[in-house]
Amino acid sequence: MDNVESAPDSPAQAPPSSASSLPKEQSQVELELRLLQALEFYPPSKLKGIHRHFVLYGLMEFLRKSLDRQFSPDEVLQLLDRFFNLEMLLGRDSQVLLMMIL
């Protein structure tokens, strides 16, 4: 019997593009998990009112310590926006919070 080699496009072999995106996907999952852990201490409902800046800062610090890299307030708000409708959650405060960041 002849040894048959599988074709490069066969389903048994993963395409190279999926292999290179795996670390990026894992880091994205890690980032989202750390954000969800931070929400235990800094719930998004507390982003409303006079303490909103302290809560946002707390989220930034938690992520910085957990993942060993800096996060801007805008990055944290974008992450939160994946899980929550910030405009509905924050109401009028959402525009004030976004204006103060920019």
Side-chain angles (χ1 to χ4, degrees), residues 17-72:
S17 63
S18 68
S20 64
S21 66
L22 186 61
K24 185 177 181 181
E25 289 175 11
Q26 285 179 338
S27 64
Q28 187 64 33
V29 169
E30 181 74 18
L31 175 61
E32 291 175 356
L33 286 173
R34 295 294 180 218
L35 175 68
L36 292 174
Q37 287 177 337
L39 292 176
E40 182 178 353
F41 302 105
Y42 305 103
S45 62
K46 291 192 176 186
L47 280 170
K48 190 183 245 186
I50 61 173
H51 300 294
R52 63 184 173 260
H53 300 98
F54 299 110
V55 173
L56 186 58
Y57 181 77
L59 288 169
M60 289 169 42
E61 283 298 300
F62 187 95
L63 291 173
R64 182 187 62 80
K65 290 177 182 176
S66 298
L67 299 170
D68 198 30
R69 82 168 186 92
Q70 295 284 25
F71 289 87
S72 70

